[in-house]
Amino acid sequence: RASEGAVFHARALALREAKVDASDPALAATLINLAACREADGGYKEGEALKTRALAMYEAALPAEHHLVALARNALGETYRATGNFDRAQELFESASSVWLANGHPCAAAALSNLAQLKLQDGRSDEALLLMQQSLSIKKDALGERHPLVATTLGNLARVWEQFADFGQARKLRVEALEILEATLGEEHPQVAICLNNLAVVESRLGEYLEAYDLGKRALKIDEKAFGMSHPQVATDLNSLATLSFHIGERQLARQLYERAFKIREETLGATHPRTLATLKNLRLVEDQISLADLADE
């Protein structure tokens, strides 16, 4: 789907470039859209070049405090964060949030959330908490209490509390996010599956493995229906569910789930991919446990 989007935006860019000067800021939005598609397919180097070009266009044509300049800075910051250039990402997120906050623009929530995630990666959880709470407040004011984007920020805020090992607070936020997504997107939407898996992780950290297993099982069913039985996301669900099955003492089920996950990853990612190898390692560990249990019963 991302590849199809890239083809569309590349054609749109070619058409626009044929009609306007190559430095015309009218091209910038198409460049950013094309960059997002390229990055979705792993093309971060090209995405960085496209977004850098777009930012230069906006900065040359518009005041530094213009909304579109901030938008391009935030977009480029996301690329730098994804590629590990955290200092440059922070600089761009701070610049974008400063512009949006000064103008009272709700997009400030996005830049603040991005900045919070950087702080969290850097171990500065206290700063991350304040930034994410500010982001959530802005989104609620702009979109209302029950919007899917509010649910996304609730999930991000839960991640911060998880870093504090406050899994009770994290569970409360993730349950609220799940309720919003179920009400707004429907109970079988892939975003609901993501939320279910995240909540399952929290439940497992609280020792509630049966509850976590039920959540993970429901997420798997949603993703199988949405993506098909052999999609990489289904493999991720299977791998997580296998781990939970092992924790509740269902070793044979865990082996079956790891086998399915391994087969999908081997076919879609390749036999030497780190995720494929990790699943194979888990499968071998479970098989060893089953063998030991069988010996003990003899």
Side-chain angles (χ1 to χ4, degrees):
R1 187 172 298 174
S3 296
E4 293 175 1
V7 171
F8 172 81
H9 290 299
R11 288 175 179 170
L13 178 61
L15 289 171
R16 284 180 177 270
E17 285 180 325
K19 294 180 179 180
V20 300
D21 185 86
S23 61
D24 194 312
L27 297 172
T30 304
L31 288 167
I32 291 173
N33 290 334
L34 178 57
C37 293
R38 297 298 191 205
E39 291 175 1
D41 287 330
Y44 287 101
K45 186 174 182 179
E46 184 177 359
E48 179 185 338
L50 290 165
K51 289 180 179 179
T52 299
R53 182 182 165 195
L55 176 58
M57 289 177 175
Y58 280 144
E59 288 180 331
L62 301 169
E65 67 276 9
H66 195 281
H67 162 64
L68 291 176
V69 174
L71 189 71
R73 287 175 180 169
N74 187 66
L76 183 55
E78 289 173 343
T79 302
Y80 281 129
R81 184 183 65 190
T83 56
N85 191 342
F86 300 130
D87 289 341
R88 181 63 175 140
Q90 178 172 327
E91 178 185 337
L92 289 164
F93 291 148
E94 288 176 344
S95 174
S97 63
S98 177
V99 169
W100 280 327
L101 287 170
N103 295 329
H105 199 289
C107 280
L112 290 169
S113 179
N114 285 332
L115 193 54
Q117 292 176 61
L118 273 185
K119 301 289 187 182
L120 198 61
Q121 284 179 270
D122 197 33
R124 296 152 73 179
S125 300
D126 290 332
E127 294 178 55
L129 179 62
L130 293 175
L131 289 164
M132 200 65 77
Q133 287 173 332
Q134 188 180 5
S135 175
L136 178 62
S137 178
I138 292 170
K139 280 193 178 178
K140 284 184 174 181
D141 288 344
L143 303 172
E145 298 274 339
R146 309 289 290 177
H147 193 280
L149 292 178
V150 170
T152 299
T153 306
L154 286 167
N156 289 335
L157 183 56
R159 284 186 59 227
V160 180
W161 284 111
E162 288 160 16
Q163 290 298 308
F164 285 112
D166 190 338
F167 296 106
Q169 181 64 22
R171 175 167 57 183
K172 178 181 176 182
L173 292 166
R174 293 206 180 277
V175 168
E176 184 180 353
L178 177 61
E179 291 172 349
I180 292 171
L181 292 177
E182 287 177 330
T184 56
L185 302 180
E187 294 186 355
E188 296 187 349
H189 194 280
Q191 285 294 117
V192 171
I194 293 172
C195 200
L196 287 165
N197 278 324
N198 288 334
L199 180 56
V201 171
V202 173
E203 294 290 359
S204 67
R205 294 300 298 269
L206 290 167
E208 300 291 342
Y209 294 113
L210 284 171
E211 178 66 22
Y213 175 83
D214 289 340
L215 293 165
K217 186 176 180 180
R218 186 180 159 204
L220 173 62
K221 289 181 178 179
I222 293 171
D223 285 337
E224 286 177 335
K225 183 176 180 180
F227 303 120
M229 302 295 284
S230 299
H231 192 276
Q233 179 56 48
V234 170
T236 299
D237 294 343
L238 288 165
N239 194 76
S240 299
L241 195 59
T243 302
L244 292 169
S245 298
F246 183 81
H247 278 298
I248 62 176
E250 296 288 346
R251 293 188 179 91
Q252 293 290 352
L253 176 58
R255 178 169 65 181
Q256 293 170 13
L257 294 168
Y258 278 134
E259 285 174 344
R260 274 192 65 195
F262 173 71
K263 183 177 179 181
I264 294 170
R265 285 182 164 171
E266 187 177 36
E267 291 177 351
T268 59
L269 301 176
T272 60
H273 191 280
R275 291 185 180 180
T276 305
L277 295 174
T279 302
L280 181 60
K281 180 181 179 181
N282 289 335
L283 174 58
R284 295 291 181 254
L285 288 172
V286 170
E287 288 175 338
D288 289 344
Q289 288 293 317
I290 291 172
S291 297
L292 289 172
D294 289 341
L295 286 172
D297 291 339
E298 292 179 357

